[in-house]
Amino acid sequence: MNLAVTIILGVGLVFFLGGAVGILRFPDFYSRLHPAGKMDTLGSFLMLGALALYHLHPFTLDNVLVAIKIALIVVFYFLASPTATHAIVDAGIRAGQAAWQKPKQGAGS
Amino acid sequence: MKALALAIVALVGGLLISATVDFPDWGDPASPAALHVSPRYIEKTMEDTSVPNIVTSVLADYRGFDTMFETTVVFTAGVACFLLLRRREPRPGPSRVYRHRASGVIVEMSQAPDTEPAPEVFKRIDDDWTPHDLIVMNVCRLLIPFIQLFGLYVIAHGHHSPGGGFQGGVILGASVILLALSWDLRTASLRMREVATGLMSAIGVFIYAGVGALALAMGGNFLDYAALAPILMVDPVAARSLGIFFVEVGVGLAVMATMVLIYKNLASEGRLDQGL
């Protein structure tokens, strides 16, 4: 059980790491929001899921309640985080922020 | 002049830093703060108030007088915002913009009409209106009831877990502000009118002070909830726990209404007709 929890936590950490690297490395506003919205959502889903699983260990009513609360956090995070990212992208488009295009060969940066 | 200022800053800063040497060590059990009242609160809270969360019992019971005036500060901030920002005269320039619901045609009127057009046919929109995003609107509509439920839980569960009136009130106020952000200010104003915000923030403070005064009238000290035991028909210890709950409700009401009041006045330049 603890092994499974550790593995899931580790996988979630990999996604968070990917998200952080993506935010730093991607070229513009929209593509940076892409890892921020997706990786964080999946990473927190995995990590919170692992914590809920860990809490189920002595299978009592109290622990199940804690696990259900963590599961509810996951549900609301799943709804709210992509929506927030979408709202930011939407605001960027309305404000006239142009999307990044691959620079042509020899045209400089 | 700059050199003088720098010298003063360096002198005062040096004094303050040298004074930190006299501080007790971090977490020192023999420090004055840990010696006198803290052990009493830690040991007697369960006995006195039957509230497991010591922070709540200190905040709302042992130091209830302090918290009452914190609530009053929140109320005063709301009143100050209202008095400074609220404007009665209408917005200058093109005054009314409507959208025909069936066709989506936008109608702009150069002056305010004598009678408002039927709201089922024409929906009033902001001057700088852009089409709202369907995803954001509907997800917020889905989430707001749960946010409000969580706010109530935080207020009611302050006895057992981190939380209480201030935190729960902020969550409730934020849910109304989220409605104003994702839909528009008029929709939020229909749910919570200006009169309601003003009244609720005053009623919140009144509940707090009223519980205290009721304890006074029942023969106890001001805010001594144990004196309320005969009214609540419980023993004095449970009465203190219930009294904490009552004042938390008052704090929650005041904080929620004041947040909404301040937001509306800031977002609409004090006119409360349109805004973010």
Side-chain angles (χ1 to χ4, degrees), chain B residues 65-120:
Chain B
F65 203 60
D66 184 23
T67 311
M68 188 181 95
F69 284 101
E70 275 170 32
T71 316
T72 316
V73 165
V74 170
F75 170 68
T76 313
V79 170
C81 240
F82 176 80
L83 291 177
L84 289 173
L85 294 172
R86 185 79 172 98
R87 276 189 282 188
R88 293 283 170 193
E89 79 270 22
R91 194 179 289 271
S95 58
R96 296 291 165 94
V97 186
Y98 294 92
R99 181 164 57 91
H100 186 233
R101 283 182 191 272
S103 63
V105 173
I106 309 267
V107 185
E108 188 176 324
M109 295 190 181
S110 58
Q111 57 189 24
D114 294 334
T115 53
E116 284 280 322
E120 327 64 87

Side-chain angles (χ1 to χ4, degrees), chain B residues 84-198:
Chain B
L84 289 173
L85 294 172
R86 185 79 172 98
R87 276 189 282 188
R88 293 283 170 193
E89 79 270 22
R91 194 179 289 271
S95 58
R96 296 291 165 94
V97 186
Y98 294 92
R99 181 164 57 91
H100 186 233
R101 283 182 191 272
S103 63
V105 173
I106 309 267
V107 185
E108 188 176 324
M109 295 190 181
S110 58
Q111 57 189 24
D114 294 334
T115 53
E116 284 280 322
E120 327 64 87
V121 184
F122 287 98
K123 178 180 167 54
R124 185 161 170 216
I125 55 176
D126 292 1
D127 292 349
D128 51 356
W129 185 81
T130 49
H132 283 111
D133 191 87
L134 205 63
I135 297 175
V136 175
M137 283 172 85
N138 283 309
V139 171
C140 289
R141 189 166 71 171
L142 184 72
L143 282 182
I144 283 169
F146 292 103
I147 294 174
Q148 288 175 340
L149 200 63
F150 180 66
L152 293 177
Y153 166 82
V154 168
I155 290 180
H157 216 252
H159 287 52
H160 300 275
S161 61
F166 288 98
Q167 293 86 337
V170 165
I171 293 169
L172 285 173
S175 72
V176 179
I177 291 174
L178 181 64
L179 183 66
L181 281 172
S182 61
W183 290 61
D184 56 14
L185 196 70
R186 275 185 301 280
T187 313
S189 288
L190 282 179
R191 299 285 165 182
M192 199 168 170
R193 289 174 197 280
E194 189 190 12
V195 178
T197 55

